PDB file of all heavy atoms in Angstrom:
ATOM      1  N   ARG A 561       7.029 -13.514  -1.999  1.00 96.00           N
ATOM      2  CA  ARG A 561       5.616 -13.133  -2.021  1.00 96.00           C
ATOM      3  C   ARG A 561       4.838 -13.842  -0.914  1.00 96.00           C
ATOM      4  O   ARG A 561       5.208 -14.923  -0.474  1.00 96.00           O
ATOM      5  CB  ARG A 561       4.978 -13.480  -3.375  1.00 96.00           C
ATOM      6  CG  ARG A 561       5.539 -12.669  -4.525  1.00 96.00           C
ATOM      7  CD  ARG A 561       5.270 -11.188  -4.349  1.00 96.00           C
ATOM      8  NE  ARG A 561       5.956 -10.421  -5.365  1.00 96.00           N
ATOM      9  CZ  ARG A 561       5.476 -10.215  -6.591  1.00 96.00           C
ATOM     10  NH1 ARG A 561       4.323 -10.751  -6.932  1.00 96.00           N
ATOM     11  NH2 ARG A 561       6.156  -9.511  -7.448  1.00 96.00           N
ATOM     12  N   GLU A 565      -0.859 -15.377  -2.750  1.00 97.00           N
ATOM     13  CA  GLU A 565      -0.700 -15.310  -4.206  1.00 97.00           C
ATOM     14  C   GLU A 565      -0.526 -16.689  -4.828  1.00 97.00           C
ATOM     15  O   GLU A 565      -0.504 -16.831  -6.043  1.00 97.00           O
ATOM     16  CB  GLU A 565       0.516 -14.440  -4.574  1.00 97.00           C
ATOM     17  CG  GLU A 565       0.324 -12.966  -4.263  1.00 97.00           C
ATOM     18  CD  GLU A 565       1.383 -12.072  -4.937  1.00 97.00           C
ATOM     19  OE1 GLU A 565       2.275 -12.598  -5.633  1.00 97.00           O
ATOM     20  OE2 GLU A 565       1.297 -10.850  -4.742  1.00 97.00           O
ATOM     21  N   GLY A 608      -1.544 -15.670  -8.452  1.00 96.00           N
ATOM     22  CA  GLY A 608      -1.738 -14.249  -8.138  1.00 96.00           C
ATOM     23  C   GLY A 608      -0.535 -13.417  -8.509  1.00 96.00           C
ATOM     24  O   GLY A 608      -0.414 -12.269  -8.086  1.00 96.00           O
ATOM     25  N   ARG A 611       1.982 -16.436 -12.747  1.00 94.00           N
ATOM     26  CA  ARG A 611       1.251 -17.569 -13.300  1.00 94.00           C
ATOM     27  C   ARG A 611       2.169 -18.723 -13.694  1.00 94.00           C
ATOM     28  O   ARG A 611       1.837 -19.509 -14.575  1.00 94.00           O
ATOM     29  CB  ARG A 611       0.367 -17.150 -14.478  1.00 94.00           C
ATOM     30  CG  ARG A 611      -0.671 -16.109 -14.098  1.00 94.00           C
ATOM     31  CD  ARG A 611      -1.646 -15.847 -15.216  1.00 94.00           C
ATOM     32  NE  ARG A 611      -1.004 -15.379 -16.422  1.00 94.00           N
ATOM     33  CZ  ARG A 611      -0.647 -14.118 -16.639  1.00 94.00           C
ATOM     34  NH1 ARG A 611      -0.894 -13.197 -15.747  1.00 94.00           N
ATOM     35  NH2 ARG A 611      -0.081 -13.778 -17.764  1.00 94.00           N
ATOM     36  N   GLY A 635       8.812 -22.238 -18.420  1.00 61.00           N
ATOM     37  CA  GLY A 635       9.343 -21.108 -19.179  1.00 61.00           C
ATOM     38  C   GLY A 635      10.312 -20.377 -18.276  1.00 61.00           C
ATOM     39  O   GLY A 635       9.897 -19.675 -17.375  1.00 61.00           O
ATOM     40  N   ARG A 637      13.456 -18.567 -19.079  1.00 52.00           N
ATOM     41  CA  ARG A 637      14.577 -17.972 -19.815  1.00 52.00           C
ATOM     42  C   ARG A 637      15.544 -17.289 -18.859  1.00 52.00           C
ATOM     43  O   ARG A 637      16.726 -17.415 -18.985  1.00 52.00           O
ATOM     44  CB  ARG A 637      14.047 -16.970 -20.825  1.00 52.00           C
ATOM     45  CG  ARG A 637      15.127 -16.530 -21.773  1.00 52.00           C
ATOM     46  CD  ARG A 637      14.553 -15.695 -22.873  1.00 52.00           C
ATOM     47  NE  ARG A 637      15.554 -14.756 -23.320  1.00 52.00           N
ATOM     48  CZ  ARG A 637      16.623 -15.089 -23.998  1.00 52.00           C
ATOM     49  NH1 ARG A 637      16.848 -16.325 -24.316  1.00 52.00           N
ATOM     50  NH2 ARG A 637      17.492 -14.174 -24.366  1.00 52.00           N
ATOM     51  N   GLN A 638      14.993 -16.557 -17.916  1.00 48.00           N
ATOM     52  CA  GLN A 638      15.873 -15.937 -16.935  1.00 48.00           C
ATOM     53  C   GLN A 638      15.188 -15.889 -15.576  1.00 48.00           C
ATOM     54  O   GLN A 638      14.017 -15.587 -15.468  1.00 48.00           O
ATOM     55  CB  GLN A 638      16.265 -14.526 -17.365  1.00 48.00           C
ATOM     56  CG  GLN A 638      17.467 -14.030 -16.560  1.00 48.00           C
ATOM     57  CD  GLN A 638      18.059 -12.797 -17.187  1.00 48.00           C
ATOM     58  OE1 GLN A 638      17.956 -12.576 -18.382  1.00 48.00           O
ATOM     59  NE2 GLN A 638      18.678 -11.975 -16.370  1.00 48.00           N
TER      60      GLN A 638
ATOM     61  N   GLU B 287      13.450  -9.312 -19.391  1.00 95.00           N
ATOM     62  CA  GLU B 287      13.421 -10.742 -19.041  1.00 95.00           C
ATOM     63  C   GLU B 287      13.292 -10.935 -17.541  1.00 95.00           C
ATOM     64  O   GLU B 287      13.246 -12.063 -17.050  1.00 95.00           O
ATOM     65  CB  GLU B 287      14.690 -11.421 -19.569  1.00 95.00           C
ATOM     66  CG  GLU B 287      14.709 -11.463 -21.089  1.00 95.00           C
ATOM     67  CD  GLU B 287      15.975 -12.060 -21.656  1.00 95.00           C
ATOM     68  OE1 GLU B 287      16.910 -12.335 -20.882  1.00 95.00           O
ATOM     69  OE2 GLU B 287      16.016 -12.252 -22.873  1.00 95.00           O
ATOM     70  N   PRO B 304       7.411 -15.117 -16.887  1.00 94.00           N
ATOM     71  CA  PRO B 304       8.537 -15.699 -17.598  1.00 94.00           C
ATOM     72  C   PRO B 304       8.249 -15.837 -19.093  1.00 94.00           C
ATOM     73  O   PRO B 304       7.198 -16.353 -19.468  1.00 94.00           O
ATOM     74  CB  PRO B 304       8.719 -17.073 -16.933  1.00 94.00           C
ATOM     75  CG  PRO B 304       7.553 -17.275 -16.039  1.00 94.00           C
ATOM     76  CD  PRO B 304       6.916 -15.964 -15.789  1.00 94.00           C
ATOM     77  N   ASP B 305       9.164 -15.353 -19.905  1.00 94.00           N
ATOM     78  CA  ASP B 305       9.060 -15.443 -21.369  1.00 94.00           C
ATOM     79  C   ASP B 305       7.837 -14.715 -21.924  1.00 94.00           C
ATOM     80  O   ASP B 305       7.262 -15.140 -22.938  1.00 94.00           O
ATOM     81  CB  ASP B 305       9.029 -16.915 -21.835  1.00 94.00           C
ATOM     82  CG  ASP B 305      10.251 -17.693 -21.405  1.00 94.00           C
ATOM     83  OD1 ASP B 305      11.271 -17.046 -21.083  1.00 94.00           O
ATOM     84  OD2 ASP B 305      10.187 -18.938 -21.366  1.00 94.00           O
ATOM     85  N   ALA B 372       4.181  -8.499 -11.016  1.00 98.00           N
ATOM     86  CA  ALA B 372       2.947  -9.218 -11.314  1.00 98.00           C
ATOM     87  C   ALA B 372       2.460  -9.703  -9.965  1.00 98.00           C
ATOM     88  O   ALA B 372       3.103 -10.534  -9.337  1.00 98.00           O
ATOM     89  CB  ALA B 372       3.214 -10.381 -12.262  1.00 98.00           C
ATOM     90  N   THR B 373       1.351  -9.153  -9.489  1.00 98.00           N
ATOM     91  CA  THR B 373       0.968  -9.414  -8.104  1.00 98.00           C
ATOM     92  C   THR B 373      -0.552  -9.347  -7.965  1.00 98.00           C
ATOM     93  O   THR B 373      -1.272  -9.303  -8.957  1.00 98.00           O
ATOM     94  CB  THR B 373       1.686  -8.386  -7.181  1.00 98.00           C
ATOM     95  OG1 THR B 373       1.410  -8.697  -5.823  1.00 98.00           O
ATOM     96  CG2 THR B 373       1.255  -6.963  -7.471  1.00 98.00           C
ATOM     97  N   SER B 374      -1.018  -9.368  -6.732  1.00 97.00           N
ATOM     98  CA  SER B 374      -2.454  -9.286  -6.483  1.00 97.00           C
ATOM     99  C   SER B 374      -2.751  -8.114  -5.560  1.00 97.00           C
ATOM    100  O   SER B 374      -2.000  -7.841  -4.627  1.00 97.00           O
ATOM    101  CB  SER B 374      -2.960 -10.569  -5.825  1.00 97.00           C
ATOM    102  OG  SER B 374      -2.810 -11.649  -6.702  1.00 97.00           O
TER     103      SER B 374
END
Side-chain angles (χ1 to χ4, degrees):
Chain A
R561 294 298 173 83
E565 291 194 359
R611 300 188 301 278
R637 191 172 150 71
Q638 196 167 333
Chain B
E287 292 177 353
D305 302 341
T373 185
S374 295

